[in-house]
Amino acid sequence: MNPVRTRFAPSPTGFLHVGGARTALYNYLFARATGGSMVLRIEDTDRQRSEEHFTGAILDSLEWIGIEGYEGPHYQSQSLEHYREAAERLIGSGAAYWDEDPEKGRAVKLLMHDDLVEVADMIHGTVEFDASLADDFVIMKSDGYPSYNFACVVDDHRMGITHVIRGDEHLSNMPRQIALYDALGFQRPRFAHIPMILGPDGVKLSKRHGATSVGEYRRQGYLSEALVNFIALLGWSPGDGREIMSLEEMAAAFTIERVRKVPSQFDHEKLQWMNGQYIMRLDPDRLAAEMADFFAANGIDISGRSADWMRNFVAAYRERMKTLKDGLDASRFIFDDSIEYDAAAVRKVLGREGAIERLSDLREVLSGDYDWTVENIEMRLRSYCEKVNVGFGKVAQPLRVAITGGMVSPPIFETLYLVGRKRALRRIDVILSGSAEALEEGRET
Ligand code: GLU
């Protein structure tokens, strides 16, 4: 048997979507699982719809999800002589002919025979097609470019592809492609058509269901490892109950036999859960780097923040976020002084007898002469509590409301550290100076 050779053959007519990413992934995993290789082929022969920037975006997305080490990319638009030669051969043998269309111009068409075509599909089993339903079809268009079916068959043969793994929307192309294999005298590869992905409502996944492209999920703060793991499980499972799996682990376990015959459903909650699992387990430095990139991509300037700051940030927020975006949304108060005060929190916490005096004491404690580290802040605040003999909550809550505007945040030492000393003192001052009005307002509402 020849070594396995698969291919991923996107058309650069859009971004890499979840379905395309899954096709790429299964081709990649199957090649790796069998010690074979994968080819990347850009099917850019539709000159109206193909755009170069889509090719770039597809390559970026593949790289981001960790698909690498493939051969190519090969561009069909750069292989026109192969299709021309094959078309000439077909015309020579009488299998194809020139056809003059008043509107579309002169093109080459393949002669279809009324056969019953049987294909052994690795996922669907034996599939039968009645080719008599298919008319003769264009293989070389009047612009000198091949049609999809033709270029696909010529390339799959010439690139030595052993397994064609693709979405089952291409099953309908089988009668034409099989006719081409037969007319060209090519041996057929093996086919595996993957069932489609459905949205939560049971209808084919589309824009209507929200984000569909890999790039959108990236921008929403999903980690590539989580997304790739989730996408792999849309139609495949290792069969031993494992769910959280690295690309390596999936490559070791992948078989086409375990690809489901029925469509799978896209479950956003599961993706969120899985992303949360990855965030929880990710190496701290990696998570810090991911978070830093995410801040930067969202226009939050963290250029002045130290590596220590980033490490503390992810330590404080790791368990509070399922996506990087959750972390960004929950921490906006750190970067932006125009915080919104939760009136109920102000009333409840700062309106309490003695709270303002306490805050004024705490301002003193926080402005002392020491390095602004989580440990130092904790030490000073704890010794203040001992000195005046109050419970820690009496100190943490007024500080939290003053610094964040609300009653929910990571532990107060970490929160203070992350906000920074200057900002923290400034916000306390806002409360101290405006306390009367703030509290009045609090009482009124
Ligand atoms: N260019 C086709 C597509 O994007 C590829 C189909 C195939 O894999 O044969 O759907």
Coordinates of all heavy atoms in Angstrom, one line a residue, residues 7-13 23 27 41-44 76 148-149 152-153 156 164-167 169-170 173 177 193, ligand 1:
R7 N -5.2 15.6 1.4 CA -5.1 17.0 1.0 C -6.3 17.8 1.6 O -7.4 17.3 1.9 CB -5.1 17.1 -0.5 CG -6.4 17.3 -1.3 CD -7.3 16.1 -1.1 NE -8.3 16.1 -2.2 CZ -9.5 16.8 -2.1 NH1 -9.9 17.5 -1.0 NH2 -10.4 16.7 -3.1
F8 N -5.9 19.1 1.9 CA -7.0 20.0 2.2 C -7.0 21.0 1.1 O -5.9 21.5 0.7 CB -6.7 20.7 3.6 CG -7.7 21.8 3.9 CD1 -9.1 21.5 3.9 CD2 -7.3 23.0 4.3 CE1 -10.0 22.5 4.2 CE2 -8.2 24.0 4.6 CZ -9.6 23.7 4.6
A9 N -8.2 21.3 0.5 CA -8.2 22.0 -0.7 C -9.2 23.2 -0.7 O -10.3 23.2 -1.3 CB -8.6 21.1 -1.8
P10 N -9.0 24.2 0.2 CA -9.9 25.3 0.3 C -10.0 26.2 -0.9 O -9.0 26.3 -1.6 CB -9.4 26.1 1.5 CG -7.9 25.8 1.5 CD -7.7 24.4 1.0
S11 N -11.1 26.7 -1.2 CA -11.2 27.8 -2.2 C -11.1 29.1 -1.5 O -11.8 29.3 -0.5 CB -12.6 27.7 -2.9 OG -12.8 26.4 -3.4
P12 N -10.3 30.0 -2.0 CA -10.1 31.3 -1.3 C -11.2 32.2 -1.6 O -11.0 33.3 -2.1 CB -8.7 31.8 -1.8 CG -8.6 31.2 -3.2 CD -9.4 29.9 -3.2
T13 N -12.4 31.8 -1.2 CA -13.6 32.7 -1.5 C -14.2 33.1 -0.2 O -15.3 33.7 -0.2 CB -14.6 31.9 -2.3 OG1 -14.9 30.7 -1.6 CG2 -14.1 31.6 -3.7
T23 N -12.5 19.9 8.3 CA -12.0 19.1 7.2 C -10.5 19.1 7.2 O -9.8 18.0 7.0 CB -12.5 19.7 5.9 OG1 -13.9 19.6 5.9 CG2 -12.0 18.9 4.7
N27 N -8.0 15.7 7.8 CA -7.0 15.3 6.9 C -5.6 15.3 7.6 O -4.8 14.4 7.3 CB -7.0 16.3 5.7 CG -8.0 16.0 4.7 OD1 -7.8 15.0 3.9 ND2 -9.1 16.7 4.6
R41 N -3.8 22.6 -0.9 CA -4.0 23.0 -2.3 C -5.0 24.1 -2.3 O -6.2 24.0 -1.8 CB -4.5 21.8 -3.1 CG -4.7 22.1 -4.6 CD -4.9 20.8 -5.3 NE -6.3 20.4 -5.2 CZ -6.7 19.1 -5.1 NH1 -5.8 18.1 -5.1 NH2 -7.9 18.8 -5.0
I42 N -4.6 25.2 -2.9 CA -5.6 26.4 -2.9 C -6.3 26.3 -4.3 O -5.7 26.4 -5.3 CB -4.8 27.7 -2.8 CG1 -3.9 27.7 -1.5 CG2 -5.7 28.9 -2.9 CD1 -4.7 27.7 -0.2
E43 N -7.6 26.1 -4.2 CA -8.4 25.9 -5.4 C -8.9 27.3 -5.9 O -10.1 27.7 -5.6 CB -9.5 24.9 -5.1 CG -8.9 23.6 -4.7 CD -9.8 22.4 -5.0 OE1 -11.0 22.4 -4.8 OE2 -9.2 21.3 -5.4
D44 N -8.1 28.0 -6.6 CA -8.4 29.4 -6.9 C -8.7 29.5 -8.4 O -8.2 30.5 -9.0 CB -7.2 30.3 -6.5 CG -5.9 29.8 -7.1 OD1 -5.9 28.7 -7.7 OD2 -4.9 30.5 -7.0
Q76 N -3.8 26.1 -7.8 CA -4.3 25.6 -9.0 C -4.1 26.6 -10.2 O -3.9 26.3 -11.3 CB -5.8 25.2 -8.9 CG -5.9 23.9 -8.1 CD -7.4 23.4 -8.1 OE1 -8.3 24.2 -8.1 NE2 -7.5 22.1 -8.1
Y148 N -14.1 23.3 -11.2 CA -13.7 22.7 -9.9 C -13.5 21.2 -10.0 O -12.5 20.6 -9.7 CB -14.7 23.0 -8.8 CG -14.7 21.9 -7.7 CD1 -13.6 21.8 -6.9 CD2 -15.8 21.1 -7.6 CE1 -13.6 20.7 -6.0 CE2 -15.8 20.1 -6.6 CZ -14.7 19.9 -5.8 OH -14.6 18.9 -4.9
N149 N -14.5 20.4 -10.6 CA -14.4 19.0 -10.6 C -13.2 18.5 -11.4 O -12.6 17.5 -11.0 CB -15.7 18.4 -11.2 CG -16.9 18.4 -10.2 OD1 -16.8 17.8 -9.1 ND2 -18.0 19.0 -10.6
C152 N -9.9 19.3 -9.6 CA -9.8 18.5 -8.4 C -9.3 17.1 -8.7 O -8.4 16.6 -8.1 CB -11.2 18.5 -7.8 SG -11.3 17.5 -6.3
V153 N -9.9 16.5 -9.8 CA -9.5 15.1 -10.1 C -8.1 15.1 -10.7 O -7.3 14.2 -10.3 CB -10.5 14.5 -11.1 CG1 -10.0 13.2 -11.7 CG2 -11.9 14.3 -10.4
D156 N -5.8 15.6 -7.7 CA -5.7 14.5 -6.7 C -4.9 13.4 -7.3 O -4.1 12.7 -6.6 CB -7.2 14.0 -6.4 CG -7.8 15.0 -5.4 OD1 -7.1 15.8 -4.7 OD2 -9.1 15.0 -5.3
V164 N -9.3 11.1 0.0 CA -10.0 12.4 -0.2 C -11.0 12.5 1.0 O -12.0 11.8 1.0 CB -10.7 12.5 -1.5 CG1 -11.7 13.7 -1.6 CG2 -9.7 12.6 -2.7
I165 N -10.7 13.3 1.9 CA -11.6 13.5 3.1 C -12.1 14.9 3.0 O -11.4 15.9 3.0 CB -10.8 13.4 4.4 CG1 -10.0 12.0 4.4 CG2 -11.7 13.5 5.6 CD1 -9.0 11.9 5.6
R166 N -13.4 15.1 2.9 CA -14.0 16.4 2.7 C -15.5 16.4 3.1 O -16.0 15.3 3.5 CB -13.9 16.8 1.2 CG -14.7 15.9 0.3 CD -14.5 16.3 -1.2 NE -14.9 15.2 -2.0 CZ -14.6 15.1 -3.3 NH1 -13.8 15.9 -3.9 NH2 -15.1 14.1 -4.0
G167 N -16.1 17.5 3.2 CA -17.5 17.6 3.6 C -18.4 16.9 2.7 O -18.2 16.8 1.5
E169 N -21.1 17.8 1.5 CA -21.8 18.6 0.4 C -21.2 18.2 -0.9 O -21.7 18.5 -2.0 CB -21.7 20.1 0.7 CG -20.4 20.7 0.6 CD -19.5 20.7 1.9 OE1 -19.8 19.8 2.8 OE2 -18.6 21.5 2.0
H170 N -20.0 17.6 -0.9 CA -19.3 17.2 -2.2 C -19.7 15.9 -2.7 O -19.3 15.5 -3.8 CB -17.8 17.3 -2.0 CG -17.3 18.7 -1.9 ND1 -17.4 19.6 -2.9 CD2 -16.8 19.4 -0.9 CE1 -16.9 20.8 -2.5 NE2 -16.6 20.7 -1.3
N173 N -21.0 15.8 -6.1 CA -20.0 15.9 -7.2 C -19.4 14.6 -7.7 O -18.7 14.5 -8.7 CB -18.8 16.8 -6.8 CG -19.2 18.3 -6.7 OD1 -20.0 18.8 -7.6 ND2 -18.8 18.9 -5.6
Q177 N -17.0 13.4 -10.9 CA -15.6 13.1 -10.6 C -15.2 11.7 -11.0 O -14.2 11.4 -11.5 CB -15.2 13.4 -9.1 CG -15.3 14.9 -8.8 CD -14.7 15.4 -7.5 OE1 -14.1 14.6 -6.8 NE2 -14.9 16.6 -7.2
H193 N -16.5 11.1 3.1 CA -17.3 12.4 3.1 C -17.9 12.6 4.5 O -18.7 11.8 5.0 CB -18.4 12.3 2.1 CG -17.9 12.5 0.7 ND1 -17.5 11.5 -0.1 CD2 -17.6 13.6 0.0 CE1 -17.1 11.9 -1.3 NE2 -17.1 13.3 -1.3
Ligands
GLU1 N1 -12.4 23.7 -3.1 C1 -13.4 22.9 -2.6 C2 -14.1 23.5 -1.4 O1 -13.6 24.5 -0.9 C3 -12.7 21.6 -2.2 C4 -13.6 20.4 -2.4 C5 -12.7 19.1 -2.2 O2 -12.2 18.9 -1.1 O3 -12.7 18.3 -3.2 O4 -15.1 23.1 -1.0

